[in-house]
Amino acid sequence: MTEITTTLNDFLVDTKSTAALIVNGKGKLITSLNIDYGDSIAAMSAAILSMSEKFLADLEKGVLKQLYLKTSDGVVVGNKISGSNFIVAFSKEGSNLALLMRSLEEVSSELSKNSLLK
């Protein structure tokens, strides 16, 4: 788990994101950084991701890879790691959205190699 947490921390530093978590498809928190009530946020994130996947499947629009939410205080971006595992990042910086989205895809690819997240 230390390797996953280190990778997540490096991602936060590199992208200047404020917080992040990794959640499995059943809403179980795998790990989080800088998040209060991580278990609750993981469960809510899994519900949003599951509904989004079903939405896309019903519309026959492909498989969900990345989800972007814009809020009045910043952005939330989720990216599929592998199987049903997702990483969700929170950032107050919407101006670096392209960097955040690309970096999230890269860290997801890196995390997918970890045996705990396959």
Side-chain angles (χ1 to χ4, degrees):
M1 189 65 79
T2 303
E3 180 184 338
I4 294 170
T5 304
T6 300
T7 300
L8 198 57
N9 187 62
D10 291 346
F11 167 79
L12 290 181
V13 170
D14 292 345
T15 62
K16 299 179 183 162
S17 296
T18 56
L21 63 84
I22 297 175
V23 60
N24 72 14
K26 295 182 180 179
K28 183 175 178 351
L29 178 67
I30 295 171
T31 191
S32 68
L33 291 175
N34 304 334
I35 293 180
D36 295 328
Y37 312 107
D39 290 328
S40 296
I41 294 172
M44 289 184 281
S45 296
I48 292 167
L49 294 165
S50 175
M51 292 177 71
S52 297
E53 286 180 320
K54 289 176 184 173
F55 173 76
L56 292 173
D58 287 350
L59 294 175
E60 298 177 357
K61 295 295 182 185
V63 178
L64 179 66
K65 286 183 59 179
Q66 197 168 60
L67 182 66
Y68 161 75
L69 302 169
K70 183 175 180 181
T71 73
S72 59
D73 294 330
V75 296
V76 179
V77 182
N79 203 96
K80 184 170 260 190
I81 296 173
S82 61
S84 62
N85 297 317
F86 263 84
I87 180 173
V88 180
F90 303 83
S91 179
K92 291 183 180 177
E93 281 294 319
S95 62
N96 291 328
L97 182 59
L99 170 66
L100 177 63
M101 293 176 90
R102 188 183 81 231
S103 296
L104 199 55
E105 206 165 325
E106 290 170 357
V107 78
S108 294
S109 177
E110 182 179 339
L111 288 168
S112 72
K113 297 172 187 169
N114 186 292
S115 61
L116 294 173
L117 299 175
K118 285 187 178 183

